[in-house]
Amino acid sequence: MITSLTRRQQPKIPEDRHPFLDQLEQLWRNKTAVAGMIVITLFVLTGLLAPVLSPHDPVDASLYDQLKPPIWEEGGRSSNLLGTDDLGRDILSRLIYGARVSLLVALATVGIGFIFGSLLGAIAGYYKGFLDNIIMRFMDILLAFPHILLAIVIMAYLGPGLRNAMIAIGIIYIPRYARIVRASVLEEHEKDYVTASKAVGSRDWRIIFVSIFPNCLAPLIVQTSLSFASAILDAAALGFLGLGAQPPTPEWGAMIAMGRSHILRAWWVMTFPGIAILLAVLGFNLFGDGLRDALDPRLRD
Amino acid sequence: MLAHIIRRILLLIPTLLGISIIIFFMMHITPGDPAELLLGERATEKALEALREHLGLNEPLHVQYGMFLKRLLRGDLGETIWTRQKVWIEVKQRFPATIELSIAAMIISTFLGIILGIVSATRQYSVFDYLSMLGALVGVSMPIFWLGLVLMLIFSLNLGWFPMSGRLSVGIELDTITNFYLLDALLTKNWAALKDALWHIALPAFTLSTIPMAIVARMTRSSMLEVLRQDYIKTAKAKGLSPGIVVLKHALRNALIPVITVIGLMFGILMAGAILTETIFAWPGVGKWLYDAVLQRDYMVIQGGTLFVAAIFVMINLVVDILYAVINPKISVH
């Protein structure tokens, strides 16, 4: 009886939980983030499983099936649920393959921005002084161009095409990553664990990438989700302007541009790709917002 | 304060130089002969040689850049390939249209954005709050070129309420003084033209305003929520002031400080959005002009126009920065 009493009175030892688990729980409780996650999962799955999901070949033109309306409109039919475009291609299939193109573009552009931006930012923040000045001034200059204008100008020189669009958009994302990483590295640089790491003789790159970098991840992850959103928008804008993906690639922006000339006769050709872009971008924005709340309480709005 | 302003203005010089370097070298990293790029494929060998001589394309790169810079300082942006007109003159003709559109979009987005933000903040967690914040998120997630087309489809083509494109209807006379049509119509008391110009600007301005409006609404809401928690607001309420007065007179003034920076930075978003909006609504501004130049590969226009837009953008940012320091004394200027 005595033992049971003492056992009951024993103070509960706080669990030794990794902060990451807390953050994950926070994220899970955040409705915005979960909603975003669902949309993103659907988007990624659609892109990955495009050949399985799409009922038709996305580039298969059929002259007899031009501008057929979606199934619920008069004249619509079950073989083309969302109708066909002016070359008789199935819009639903093109949208599904378009998810794949958007996913690819977003991965490539954010990858370029992330890798080069983080590298430059880490170098600037760690070595400070002259290198920092040169790198950050250059970043400021890139930021001096209004966002998509720089991408359009780069495209003017590189020539149109999906690959060049990825390069152009990737370049405009470098400064934002450089700024975030530089700020975090500057902050972490003063901490004891970095001094300790230096004292045991670690090489600079080891200190930067093994010791410091993992501690800068929170703002980077948030930025990455938001960058995915804007990368999809920017790629679609370039595609719409005829500078990005070239026909017959099923790209959402280019599909809107095609639908523009049939806007009165066939509203569906330009409407559905726009909704697809909106949903995908909304997913990443929702998730980014939720992530920010969960990972970085200081940034909460 | 004055020292801060002077320092910021001096810092403008290296930034502008950097912009000119980037634009200059872009021309030279592209494969092919810059003279041919500038004059187009159909240029004669004689014209090409003359341009090479004029631009010093046979000189080493740093000498070429020096010459490029010298021409820039004289205000010489070169001639367009297709119309053989001074690039500078073309920019000057089109710039007012872009500014007019941007200012209209800015007024719409600031006005509606601040109202949405205030109402959301004072009714936090209400249905209105959720809906307007979801709307704001949808607003920043929407491709504006698509929104423009949808608005055009509904309001111009189906309902016929607004014109589809341009700045004025054919047949409407307007004496242009400043090239800002709304202002010109006011100055000359030309009410028919004013109404027509307003009708033309409505759809493109609204399209352009959606993203900034969403940003302003979110920013106002969060900054308002923060201010409403402060002690002096509680005191004001405890004094028995009506909630309306507390919100509008006491809270809003402080809540707007961070919003002002966002409004300033919006010019970048507007300039970028202007390319897409102007293209859709055939608005004869700098954005459409630059885009047409990209399609026609008129590199003189691309070079000069980009330089112009970037320079304006940097200067606007500087003005915003200075204004911000003036408005908000809490900001340390050192």
Side-chain angles (χ1 to χ4, degrees):
Chain A
M1 201 175 123
I2 289 170
T3 47
S4 72
L5 230 177
T6 46
R7 189 171 290 158
R8 217 187 313 150
Q9 280 169 343
Q10 224 170 24
K12 208 176 159 200
I13 302 165
E15 278 178 77
D16 185 20
R17 264 160 62 106
H18 195 276
F20 179 70
L21 287 177
D22 285 333
Q23 288 168 343
L24 218 57
E25 206 183 300
Q26 277 261 359
L27 196 62
W28 189 243
R29 265 196 249 124
N30 187 316
K31 276 185 223 127
T32 340
V34 174
M37 220 170 340
I38 294 171
V39 179
I40 294 173
T41 315
L42 284 177
F43 168 63
V44 173
L45 282 180
T46 311
L48 289 178
L49 302 176
V52 187
L53 292 173
S54 62
H56 297 277
D57 186 327
V59 293
D60 204 7
S62 155
L63 289 175
Y64 295 107
D65 304 322
Q66 287 171 359
L67 299 177
K68 288 272 180 273
I71 183 166
W72 59 87
E73 292 268 306
E74 204 187 313
R77 43 186 200 176
S78 55
S79 59
N80 304 104
L81 288 178
L82 297 182
T84 59
D85 67 6
D86 53 345
L87 293 177
R89 296 174 297 197
D90 181 45
I91 290 183
L92 180 63
S93 307
R94 289 180 68 74
L95 285 184
I96 292 172
Y97 271 91
R100 184 174 259 211
V101 177
S102 281
L103 191 63
L104 188 75
V105 177
L107 276 174
T109 51
V110 175
I112 293 174
F114 188 98
I115 292 170
F116 290 100
S118 305
L119 258 176
L120 289 171
I123 294 171
Y126 190 82
Y127 293 105
K128 300 181 191 163
F130 180 70
L131 259 179
D132 180 26
N133 251 318
I134 293 286
I135 292 176
M136 294 324 283
R137 282 297 83 74
F138 186 63
M139 295 296 119
D140 285 348
I141 291 164
L142 283 184
L143 286 171
F145 295 90
H147 198 64
I148 199 156
L149 173 67
L150 185 60
I152 290 176
V153 172
I154 296 173
M155 294 302 291
Y157 289 103
L158 292 180
L162 198 57
R163 191 180 56 107
N164 289 344
M166 294 183 202
I167 297 173
I169 302 171
I171 291 175
I172 59 178
Y173 286 175
I174 292 176
R176 45 173 97 166
Y177 282 99
R179 283 193 159 184
I180 293 174
V181 172
R182 173 179 175 271
S184 309
V185 170
L186 275 179
E187 198 185 315
E188 296 293 319
H189 195 270
E190 306 305 320
K191 294 194 176 158
D192 286 342
Y193 74 92
V194 177
T195 320
S197 191
K198 274 186 186 165
V200 296
S202 301
R203 284 170 203 273
D204 284 354
W205 67 264
R206 201 186 148 78
I207 299 177
I208 295 176
F209 291 106
V210 180
S211 307
I212 299 183
F213 200 67
N215 289 310
C216 313
L217 278 181
L220 274 181
I221 294 174
V222 174
Q223 180 58 53
T224 300
S225 185
L226 298 176
S227 291
F228 264 101
S230 56
I232 295 173
L233 276 179
D234 291 341
L238 289 183
F240 175 74
L241 293 174
L243 302 171
Q246 298 298 305
T249 315
E251 197 270 337
W252 291 340
M255 287 171 75
I256 296 179
M258 281 204 66
R260 193 184 164 189
S261 34
H262 309 285
I263 186 168
L264 260 186
R265 263 199 308 155
W267 57 268
W268 55 90
V269 183
M270 58 141 278
T271 306
F272 295 127
I275 295 173
I277 299 173
L278 174 59
L279 287 178
V281 175
L282 188 63
F284 282 105
N285 275 335
L286 285 170
F287 188 60
D289 267 15
L291 262 180
R292 177 164 48 195
D293 287 350
L295 293 179
D296 198 346
R298 281 172 305 173
L299 295 173
R300 227 167 265 185
D301 54 28
Chain B
M1 179 61 81
L2 192 67
H4 171 69
I5 294 175
I6 292 172
R7 215 182 118 242
R8 284 302 317 256
I9 293 176
L10 287 179
L11 268 176
L12 201 62
I13 298 168
T15 312
L16 289 175
L17 274 178
I19 291 172
S20 72
I21 290 177
I22 288 191
I23 289 174
F24 173 78
F25 278 100
M26 254 190 224
M27 187 95 231
H28 290 270
I29 48 169
T30 35
D33 178 6
E36 209 180 295
L37 277 184
L38 289 174
L39 285 182
E41 282 159 12
R42 284 176 296 173
T44 60
E45 190 49 44
K46 209 175 145 203
L48 285 176
E49 198 44 53
L51 184 76
R52 282 193 201 108
E53 196 58 43
H54 177 64
L55 298 178
L57 289 176
N58 302 322
E59 308 281 338
L61 266 189
H62 64 276
V63 179
Q64 282 186 44
Y65 175 69
M67 294 170 73
F68 174 71
L69 205 58
K70 229 193 231 158
R71 285 196 304 276
L72 282 185
L73 289 177
R74 280 203 309 263
D76 177 10
L77 294 174
E79 283 177 359
T80 68
I81 295 173
W82 301 103
T83 54
R84 288 275 154 233
Q85 203 174 24
K86 289 271 178 223
V87 170
W88 176 238
I89 292 175
E90 296 227 329
V91 174
K92 265 202 303 203
Q93 278 172 359
R94 286 168 173 81
F95 192 54
T98 300
I99 287 294
E100 191 174 57
L101 184 61
S102 304
I103 291 178
M106 201 156 191
I107 293 172
I108 297 174
S109 56
T110 313
F111 188 70
L112 291 182
I114 288 180
I115 291 180
L116 281 176
I118 293 175
V119 178
S120 290
T122 49
R123 307 216 166 107
Q124 199 185 3
Y125 304 130
S126 68
V127 178
F128 181 89
D129 183 26
Y130 278 118
L131 281 183
S132 68
M133 286 306 113
L134 184 69
L137 214 51
V138 169
V140 291
S141 306
M142 199 148 36
I144 64 164
F145 51 93
W146 178 73
L147 174 69
L149 288 175
V150 171
L151 289 177
M152 191 190 269
L153 178 65
I154 298 173
F155 293 105
S156 308
L157 293 167
N158 283 336
L159 296 172
W161 290 356
F162 296 100
M164 263 183 77
S165 61
R167 290 177 81 187
L168 269 188
S169 303
V170 184
I172 296 269
E173 298 276 330
L174 177 66
D175 304 318
T176 51
I177 309 166
T178 54
N179 250 326
F180 293 97
Y181 283 6
L182 291 174
L183 196 63
D184 286 344
L186 270 179
L187 287 176
T188 54
K189 300 204 170 61
N190 187 343
W191 308 125
L194 182 69
K195 183 173 167 254
D196 194 61
L198 275 174
W199 252 224
H200 276 84
I201 207 170
L203 279 189
F206 184 78
T207 306
L208 192 54
S209 77
T210 45
I211 294 178
M213 192 196 305
I215 296 174
V216 170
R218 288 178 64 155
M219 192 75 200
T220 310
R221 176 180 177 271
S222 66
S223 128
M224 197 74 186
L225 282 176
E226 197 162 302
V227 171
L228 285 177
R229 277 197 288 266
Q230 303 283 322
D231 284 340
Y232 74 91
I233 295 295
K234 283 184 200 146
T235 316
K237 278 184 186 160
K239 277 199 302 189
L241 290 178
S242 79
I245 290 186
V246 173
V247 168
L248 292 178
K249 271 191 86 177
H250 295 74
L252 189 61
R253 198 180 287 179
N254 283 312
L256 280 187
I257 291 175
V259 177
I260 289 169
T261 6
V262 186
I263 294 174
L265 294 176
M266 263 166 26
F267 254 106
I269 301 171
L270 290 175
M271 285 279 179
I275 296 186
L276 293 161
T277 315
E278 287 179 3
T279 306
I280 293 165
F281 289 99
W283 189 264
V286 175
K288 183 177 182 316
W289 175 63
L290 266 176
Y291 173 58
D292 289 342
V294 170
L295 288 189
Q296 297 170 342
R297 308 178 76 82
D298 191 330
Y299 286 93
M300 271 307 194
V301 172
I302 298 173
Q303 226 177 30
T306 317
L307 207 60
F308 179 79
V309 172
I312 293 280
F313 183 45
V314 175
M315 281 186 247
I316 290 174
N317 279 348
L318 174 75
V319 172
V320 172
D321 220 51
I322 293 174
L323 276 183
Y324 190 54
V326 173
I327 297 171
N328 189 1
K330 275 188 286 186
I331 289 243
S332 134
V333 291
H334 300 292

